[in-house]
Amino acid sequence: MNNVNGSVVGSSSGSGDGSAPRRNSKRPKYSRFTQQELPACKPILTPKWVISVFTLIGVVFVPIGIASLMASNDVVEIVDRYDNVCVPSNMTSDKVAYIQNDDVDKTCSRTLKVPKHMSQPIYVYYQLDNFYQNHRRYVKSRNDAQLRKSSQANETSGCDPEKRTKDGAPIVPCGLIAWSLFNDTYIFATGNKNLTVNKKEISWKSDRDHKFGKDVFPKNFQSGPLIGGKKLNDTQPLNEQEDLIVWMRTAALPTFRKLYGRIEQDLNAGDVISVTLKNNYNTYSFSGKKKLVLSTSSWLGGKNDFLGIAYLAVGGLCFFLAVAFTIVYLVKPRKLGDPSYLSWNRNPAGH
Amino acid sequence: MADGERTTFGDLLRPIADPPVRPDLISLSASATAAASAAVDPPHGSRAEADRLGASLKELADADARIVFVGDPGGTDPRLVLPGNAVRTAKYSFLTFIPRNLFEQFRRLAYVYFLAIAVLNQLPQLAVFGRGASVLPLAFVLLVTAVKDAYEDWRRHRSDRAENGRAAAILDPAGSGQFRPRRWKDLRVGEVIKVLADQSIPCDMVLLATSDPTGVAYVQTINLDGESNLKTRYAKQETMSRLPSIIAGSVTTVIRCETPNRNIYGFHANLEVDGKRVSLGASNIILRGCELKNTAWAIGVAVYTGIETKVMLNSSGATSKRSRLETHMNRETLLLSAILITLCSAVSICNGIWLAIHRDELELSQYFRKRDYSGGDEKYYNYYGIAMQVFFVFLMAVIVFQIMIPISLYISMELVRLGQAYFMIRDNNLYDESSSSRFQCRALNINEDLGQIRYVFSDKTGTLTENKMVFQCASIRGIDYSEGKDPSPNGSDVYYVVVGDQFWRPKMLVKTDPKLVRLLRSEGETQEGKHARDFFLALAACNTIVPLIVGTPDPKQKLIDYQGESPDEQALVYAAAAYGYVLIERTSGHIVIDVLGDRQRFNVLGLHEFDSDRKRMSVIIGCPDRTVRLFVKGADSSMFGVLEKSIDLDIIRATETNLHAYSSMGLRTLVVGMRELSRNDFEVWHSAYEKASTALYGRGSLLRAVASSVENNLQILGASGIEDKLQQGVPEAIKSLRQAGLRVWVLTGDKQETAISIGYSCKLLTSEMTHIVINNNSEAACRKSLEDAIAISSKFVAISSRAQNTVTGTGSARVPLALIIDGTSLVHILETELEEKLFKIATVCDVVLCCRVAPLQKAGIVALIKKRTEDMTLAIGDGANDVSMIQMADVGIGISGQEGRQAVMASDFAMGQFRFLLPLLLVHGHWNYQRIAYMILYNFYRNAMFVFIMFWYVLYTAYTLTTAITEWSSVLYSVLYTALPTVVVGILDKDLSRRTLLKYPRLYGAGQREERYNLSLFILTMMDAIWQSLVVFFIPYLAYRDTTVDGSSLGDLWTLAVVTLVNIHLAMDVFRWNWITHLSIWGSIAVAVMCVILIDSIWFLPGYWAIYHTMKTGLFWLCLLGIFAAGMIPRFTMKALTEYFMPNDIQISRELEKFGNFNDFTDCLYTETDIRFHLLHSAISSAASNNTKPEAHPSANRHSLPCQYSPSIVTCIFGGVTLTVVSFLPLTLPPVSPPSPPTEAMDDQNQDNYGGPNLQRSALEPLRTRWTPKPEQILILESIFNSGMVNPPKDETVRIRKLLEQFGSVGDANVFYWFQNRRSRSRRRQRQLQASLMADPRAAGVVQHAGGAATSSPSNSPGGGFFACSSSTSAAASSSNFVIDDNADDLFSISRQMGFMEATQTPPPFMCSSDVSHLHNQPETITVFIDGVASEVPKGPIDLRAAFGHNVMLVHSSGELLPVTEHGILMQSLQMGESYFSELELKNASPSSSMHGYHLRGVPCDAHQYQCLRRHSQRHGNAPPMAAFAKALQSFAPFWEPAEVVFRLSIWRKTKFTVLMDRKKPLNHLLALLLLSCLLSMDAAPLSSVDVSSLVSPAGTFALRNRDEAATKVIDKETAEEGGVSLNERTGFELDDYPGSGANSRHDPKNPGKP
């Protein structure tokens, strides 16, 4: 049997020849996507754009800067550092001993002068310096589950080294953060009249409602050999212990303020406020500072010129750049998309 | 009978054999010879074969050999456990999936790093992140990959099952002698299998018998190596004859074969049957994966099964390479690691210092609390002493700062490359229609290398050429027959074989020389005719081609399809068939040839295979007339040695001459010889042959010896020339590649002459190149020539650098050098100390052409470059001989062409055509490089910035690695918040459009110079990252200092700030915003915000509700805004500054795209008319609107040209040339409205005189209303006329009319008559000029100078510049006509016709006009290049028909058709030194078939032009005049035009046009404009005689000098006549144009707007 007889073949027709039937199915389907030809905008930094962008930033930033500076100027802030002053002069050599000695009366009086009219609400803060509330071992030392539900009191993981008492009972609230609760107290008075400090709603409502349970009561708190700070009222549920809630929201930076309360009345310029404070909190062991701050607030928060200055600087820089660019463009213009600038047109000899 | 081993007759032309390369054997470190012998396929009979064979036999006897007992699977070598035939491509099973998959995945270093960090994090002392946060991302990635792998593996399982379950007919082992179906997987070694036609072969099996009595089986190996033609395999006669007893099991048959290996072209075994030993080779085995074809059945015995089959052994995965960018990236990764370690050390050391300072306070400070009192005894709580503390902090720092090393980058890079590969594969421009093959990305990780290539090493055959061989011409006994003409499929000249009532004809038609056909068919027994018949008999017989008969729709007609392994052989057999020697049947014992209608049977007595030593093959044929003849064909070098020189010396000489001519035409040549064997000779040979072919040891060398003993004293029959057509678009591609700064090296096995000629035709070599040829036989000679070459090249470099010094800024390119070196020299050079010299010279040369190189030498050359430079190399090839080169180069590209798939298998990328290199490299390579480079930098920046922000914060936490940013955010940052945009941008962003990149190949240089990724960019980016991190950190820090802010709120602010900032940063760098980009960038920011909100909504996290609180405050938003502004200012400013004041080419091109209306520009859709029309239109409208701002032309049609204009600037881009016409156009444009002079009367007058009776005229309606052309219309008409459309056909007329109607009413007849008129005018003018030249040759110069003087004047004042120039063209057109007939349409002819070029500056080959006339007077021969061949032709008229055959026309290299008389006599003389190309006339050709007519023989491919032409003709329904279109195309794409045009352009450039463009000299503008608009109007202006060298004096000022006083006078007179128009405005156009054109002469239609 021979392969060349026509009858056998047929089936291999077309093989090995360019004229093989075209299988168009293999051709990639055309679409703008596959051909990478999607409609697109091609921004180019033309001088017009550059100058307008700079001008725009300038136009936006300078007014904002001025507004923030003004806001910051309107804020009246009284800062009083009292940690050193409140140590009796005979005990300044060993402040730690002073603060650890429970027998010494820690009461201390300060007078503050109101420089400008302060309209209510006047916020009362305490400010701690050099207190690393963001220290890794400190910031982790808490247990949120325990704070929320009374049934989870045993949940003390992560609370080292303030986890359980010596006999193994769980501490509620456990952890270093709660343990180190700030415990100085302030009483304000102008003239003879006491200034009430509203200590309600100084913490975030979200914390009160969801983070700290209303059926969770402090247990075994501050019962160890080392007292870190304030003791808590065992009968008050945690969600009402607002100082704790405020304290537990750990500060971002080693210098921080915490809201102590609000004075809900105006103070006039020249008013003298006498502060009676209990200097309980030990910052002496780590050379921290304690300050009492009374401050009004603006739409931008407290007194801080930085943002205003920064905005003015950026805005000014942008104006300057806009002008500089304009001048440079005028002095040394270049036609956009001029092929004569192409390197091989400038220097045909090649690269 | 021939043993029938693989014959690659095509190898004759690649003198050094193409061994099928065994990749595992190629080791370039081994010496070339050793490696070569290892790689050479044994059947080819290399020197080493005898040893190898001996060795293999010895080896077979060894324990390694496999012993197969046929029909007895149980008896198979008991020592070996042989695999079953089941194949398993699946990787995993149920049990092994998890461990194996994890193992596979963790082979990635990135995952290991991930894992290590996660493990570190699990240590309680180091637990920075929660368990979930640290493990989850890794787990997610692992899971996704595992699911993907599982799915793929499931599919593989499925296909495995299907494959294993197929049925095969297996001999019943019980001895019943029956074949029973069994599943493939149950098949075992030793079993006898029967395969039927069209069935797949289940395993590798040795053939025992086939349905063919001679034991032939045909197999198709397309699945194995991609070759679609049929291969012949043989069963041994010994087994054939004993088949029944083998099946019955009565004979013990034992096969000893080599152990399984992956060489699909080699097999060593012997077979013992009945005690007789037979040797088996590769031709006796059929491999799994093949299909049996055209053989009813075949019986074989399984020798290799399952995974041991050759196809399975060859199915290795894609090559794994590492891209250069990635290598560089590793350097920066190391730097980053250093930074990381520095940061970690800094933190830990600071921590140690802090601890030391506060040592005493640690006990009591509430936030530290050193001791734990709860356990009763006081122990330290997490405090291990300062040293340990430092160590722990260090490790924790590593965990926190881990993303400094952007591990996610590796994953996103893989994604991006996948996306890029997707787009490359889907690119329609990389799809090959002819082979219907898509682009393939086989290596996924070197996409970006495509953008950095500097060296391209290309194979020739099949890569540059189509590897479709077509027989072109023959030289028989020294007489050249090369006047073949193309047959038409149904023409009378097609040779049919009549079989019964059927007509058989060869499938492929070959052009035949009528003279030769006559000679063959003439009855008389002339000596000449006898030789010719022998010649074709040799072609038909001396091969291994198998004819197949294929049906056609017409039942009476059948096609003969010749199948064979060598395309050359196919071509020769087709040629023989066309001349009447039709091979119609081949078995292993005989062939049947239809000799001019008489069917004859020839016995094939012996066949000597081709081998690379002999470089020839021979066949011994027993003819019907009882004679025994030996036919030999082979390479000329080997054949001339064995020819009988004593008798035929003259004939040999003549043949040699013809061969030389053929190879210079780029044809592949073969020499055919013959000897009639006497009975005695035959007996001697026969016994030797028998002995040799049955020998067990050294069979190959014995056979070779036998062959050599008989192949001598041959009588020369002739030689053949086979054309291997260049692939479409190759010259253009090579040109663009070279423009792109790529060095293209062609490495070919062809002869030097062939190589050079192909080099010319593919524009690799150009005439202005200086060739350095190294062609030596000894090392000493090589050394000498290399040294000489270095001397020469350094001289050239010195000259050109000097030249550059003297003419600074004018851009005199240096003399290009071409190095041509052959394989013999390379043997002495490569891997010796001469390599260094070769490298030196080769890198100086622009082009390197290596001929006659062996495959390993190709790799050696690539290695030469790769070893010594940093530059990236790319190798492209299509055959097995290119595999080594492809694997050696950084990027290997396989052409999936005619030669099988080995190259593709070895390659990184595979595509169908060479020209796809252009889009691949220039477009995709550029994009990929740009994208990946940016992505890497961006990822570094992005992660570093985040790390720095955390680092700054750590400085304020007593160095304790607290993170304000939540752990989830820091984990998600590089995974979710910022990952998608980089991937999207990495896949989709394009800095430039495809079109721009192809238009300006030089833009490719960005990748070569590593502009997008380098150390300084990295450092800049890092500095930017540090700045931005400072801004992000310190603005909130300072703003929130001394406030009640809690860590989480500030952390959220930082998170959002950094995420938004890095995304804005990315957004600023995005080049193209499409919806996906928008979605990904803004979507990412949105996702980040949502995630932050989500995280802050989880009650047990410390940051609960923080984001809600901060977002309510103004401070938060002001901080964010401030961060964005302050963070971006430095980068934005830098970007604006560099983009505006230091723009790189990419930037300018982007601007061009945006402002130049570049996008609408579709190449080759424009006629020059469109261009000029557009120019004109834009100029007019800009003048009219007098707008001060540049604006894009609101062109509605897609023909709109990229043109930007303003009152002062008209910029036009076409092709790669950008022309800027500066500054005075609009000012000088006359009002658009003035009516032009009526041409009607003139038309009437001239028509009778010159127009003559015209058939078309009657077809036109007799609309003879008076028509007053508008200036625009006249311009359009002029340009059409000048574009070569001197006598438009009717439909063209209609088209033109429609064009004109945009400006005013006009009728078809008006158009028609205008052209009649215009033509006659130009002819008249030409005659006058010629007459004056005849009278005085020197007058020509004067006349031209006069013209030039005239044109020079308009430059003196602004006025009518545009129109002036355009209209002046007509004058020039006519003046030019005497140089080359109706040739007014060449864009660049301007340079020819501008006197200053020719007369004063241009060296030959450009003739100055006076020379032409001189030539007319003195007839003698001149040398011209016709089809690339230097030819001596007589001056004056030539009888084209006699010289070239019937409808052949000559085309000048500029593209214009030379006019002939109706008798085929050229109307004008050819010009010395010019190039012409022969072309088939288009007459009577339909548009589609005319395409074939267009194909120029052996020409510098106008393939692309043809493509365009075809498109055009399809659109417009007719074939436009060739010349016009060639020209139009040239003008559009200067990179397509013949080299000559480039040269002219360079001369034009040398006219210090750049000087003219100086902005500050209005006069220069004027001149520049003039030059330009002349150029634009595409024909010569009388400017020609302006001596530019005198115009541009050294000081840079102009001195316009009118050479001819008379001309000035004429101008004066004209001006006077023109009245209101100033002298200077009016000058250029109207010299003594249109004499005697009557009343209308003043209102010349070519001179619009000047009433």
Side-chain angles (χ1 to χ4, degrees), chain B residues 37-110:
Chain B
S37 65
V40 164
D41 191 22
H44 282 257
S46 70
R47 248 170 259 107
E49 196 218 335
D51 307 337
R52 286 176 56 83
L53 191 64
S56 74
L57 280 176
K58 237 178 279 150
E59 191 191 347
L60 294 178
D62 281 340
D64 294 343
R66 166 172 293 191
I67 300 166
V68 179
F69 295 91
V70 176
D72 180 15
T76 301
D77 191 353
R79 288 163 303 168
L80 295 167
V81 181
L82 297 173
N85 196 39
V87 291
R88 222 178 112 77
T89 53
K91 277 191 211 156
Y92 314 108
S93 71
F94 266 117
L95 286 177
T96 62
F97 180 75
I98 290 174
R100 272 200 73 174
N101 187 256
L102 282 180
F103 175 73
E104 293 277 323
Q105 291 201 44
F106 276 110
R107 292 218 303 224
R108 288 182 192 160
L109 205 63

Side-chain angles (χ1 to χ4, degrees), chain B residues 1439-1477:
Chain B
D1439 187 349
L1440 267 190
R1441 220 165 266 184
F1444 295 98
H1446 281 288
N1447 43 15
V1448 168
M1449 307 281 285
L1450 272 191
V1451 183
H1452 184 249
S1453 57
S1454 62
E1456 73 225 26
L1457 215 54
L1458 300 189
V1460 288
T1461 63
E1462 50 201 333
H1463 304 292
I1465 293 168
L1466 214 54
M1467 276 159 76
Q1468 65 186 78
S1469 171
L1470 303 181
Q1471 287 178 60
M1472 179 89 168
E1474 295 283 72
S1475 290
Y1476 299 89
F1477 302 109

Side-chain angles (χ1 to χ4, degrees), chain B residues 616-690:
Chain B
R616 56 181 181 258
M617 74 165 290
S618 56
V619 61
I620 292 171
I621 297 285
C623 297
D625 58 0
R626 323 274 317 152
T627 56
V628 176
R629 291 198 219 173
L630 165 77
F631 292 108
V632 189
K633 72 175 183 221
D636 51 359
S637 58
S638 85
M639 288 297 288
F640 283 126
V642 294
L643 288 177
E644 176 62 74
K645 291 207 184 62
S646 53
I647 353 166
D648 294 333
L649 203 56
D650 293 347
I651 295 166
I652 292 175
R653 291 258 164 79
T655 310
E656 271 183 84
T657 318
N658 287 335
L659 280 174
H660 186 77
Y662 293 168
S663 54
S664 6
M665 281 153 68
L667 302 181
R668 299 157 72 96
T669 57
L670 282 173
V671 176
V672 182
M674 186 198 81
R675 181 153 75 100
E676 217 172 295
L677 296 182
S678 66
R679 177 151 287 278
N680 190 28
D681 285 343
F682 176 72
E683 294 296 337
V684 170
W685 167 81
H686 188 71
S687 61
Y689 182 75
E690 284 291 304

